[in-house]
Structures are given as C-alpha cells and as structure tokens.
Amino acid sequence: DAMRPQFEKVTVPEGASWSLLDRRLDDGIPFQWHYHPEFELTLTLNSRGQRYVGDSVAAYDDGALVLLGPNLPHTWCSAERIDGRHPHNALVMWFTEAWADGLTASLAEMRGVAALLARAGRGVTFSRGAAAAVQPRIAAIPRQAPAERLVTLIGVLAMLAEDDGAAPIASPASRRVAAATPDRARIERVLDHIHAHYREP
C-alpha cells in the first residue's frame, strides 16, 4: 500500500537529549509519508505547498509552525520557494515522550507545556503571531551549543503553550500508527542505509 507510512528512525547526537535537523533543499520538500515515535516541532521557511498530517491536507506557507505528537503520520510537499535565490528550509526538532515527561513531570512551570503536548496527538498548528514570535529563537538554534539549544527549545515550548490561537490539525479519528509494525526492524535497517548513503545516486 503506497499510502502506508514508512517508519523513520530519529537519532540523537552525542551530548544532546534531543535532535535537530536543519534541512535545506533546492529542489523542494519531497512527499515522504512517514511517522516516528518522537514529538516533532517543525518550522518551514522560504517554502509553500501542501502539508499532510493524519487525515488532514492543508496549505502551508512561509513561517508555518506545527507540533506533531508521536506516531502521527505526516509529510510536507512543497510547491515553490518564496525567494528563488535561497533553498526551502525546514527546521525540525525531535524529542521523545520520555524527554517531555522528564521536563513536565517535575517542573510546575511546565504545566502549560504538558497540556500543549497532550493535544499534539492530532497535531497542532500555531497562530501567525506565535509562530512569528518564536521564529528568531528557532532560527538561532543551529548556531548554538548543546546546552543553549536545550534552553532555547524549552523557552520556545513555554511560549507556544501560551498561544490561544493554536488549533488542532487532524480529526480525532485520525489514528496514530501502532508503534510495533512487523517490518519495523527491516524498515529501520533500510532507513539506516538511506540516511548513511543519501548523498550517493
């Protein structure tokens, strides 16, 4: 089944507790229907197109910011760059449920973040104002050292928890993918190979 989402293995770098991908693509963001057990916060810059999350298909534009819960199938598929001199840019932040629980369970200040993450099972799209407010913070993360990156991400999540305009993306019926698919080990090996050799033809 072509629409069966592929499992994506997310690796966390040494010396960090979460993973950042600063994805820059001249040819556009390809349709790659996939899921993973991590939460994902994605900021798309200099790009517009279609966003597929669960059973939802919607347009996205420059500066769109979305939070996805674990095992929620998704992909972006770009139509065009806004400034043709620069690539499509997706800043993707992945963190585990265990990371989120550790952050929210023991810190009273993170109650709002816990409530936000609880809503992420359907995906959450943030208001233009909230996305614009955190955009410079997220854009700075790639240049930061690991400890500073962590503090920035926590601050971004705390700000986003205050967004009254945040809205769910998929319908409540949009089921998450069962965590253990029979082919998971095989798919992981394939994806490991692809990630290791993706620059080769």
Side-chain angles (χ1 to χ4, degrees):
D1 178 5
M3 281 306 288
R4 183 151 178 251
Q6 292 297 300
F7 177 81
E8 179 174 34
K9 188 174 182 186
V10 172
T11 52
V12 175
E14 189 65 36
S17 61
W18 60 282
S19 191
L20 171 77
L21 178 65
D22 182 1
R23 200 177 186 198
R24 293 170 185 272
L25 297 163
D26 286 320
D27 296 334
I29 302 170
F31 185 95
Q32 292 172 331
W33 186 233
H34 69 282
Y35 69 99
H36 41 71
E38 293 79 13
F39 285 92
E40 175 177 318
L41 181 66
T42 291
L43 173 67
T44 37
L45 298 170
N46 196 42
S47 185
R48 59 169 65 104
Q50 297 290 112
R51 182 193 70 216
Y52 302 75
V53 174
D55 59 1
S56 159
V57 181
Y60 77 88
D61 212 320
D62 182 54
L65 184 64
V66 165
L67 174 68
L68 304 176
N71 296 317
L72 180 61
H74 58 279
T75 189
W76 277 243
C77 189
S78 58
E80 60 176 342
R81 291 183 275 188
I82 288 148
D83 180 346
R85 294 166 301 178
H86 297 287
H88 299 264
N89 186 199
L91 284 158
V92 186
M93 293 142 278
W94 289 292
F95 51 90
T96 63
E97 289 188 90
W99 184 94
D101 291 345
L103 180 68
T104 58
S106 58
L107 301 173
E109 297 88 348
M110 293 288 112
R111 264 183 213 137
V113 172
L116 172 63
L117 295 175
R119 292 160 53 200
R122 292 167 62 183
V124 175
T125 180
F126 295 100
S127 67
R128 279 192 175 279
V134 298
Q135 182 173 316
R137 293 191 181 208
I138 293 173
I141 291 175
R143 300 187 299 276
Q144 295 174 347
E148 194 182 356
R149 285 182 171 191
L150 173 65
V151 172
T152 301
L153 176 59
I154 293 170
V156 164
L157 291 171
M159 287 173 74
L160 293 176
E162 305 287 313
D163 180 16
D164 294 331
I169 299 174
S171 74
S174 186
R175 285 204 321 277
R176 302 201 291 185
V177 176
T181 59
D183 286 343
R184 181 162 176 169
R186 191 170 62 88
I187 292 168
E188 284 192 13
R189 285 199 303 275
V190 171
L191 284 165
D192 280 344
H193 182 82
I194 291 168
H195 283 300
H197 302 284
Y198 73 98
R199 292 186 189 280
E200 300 165 15

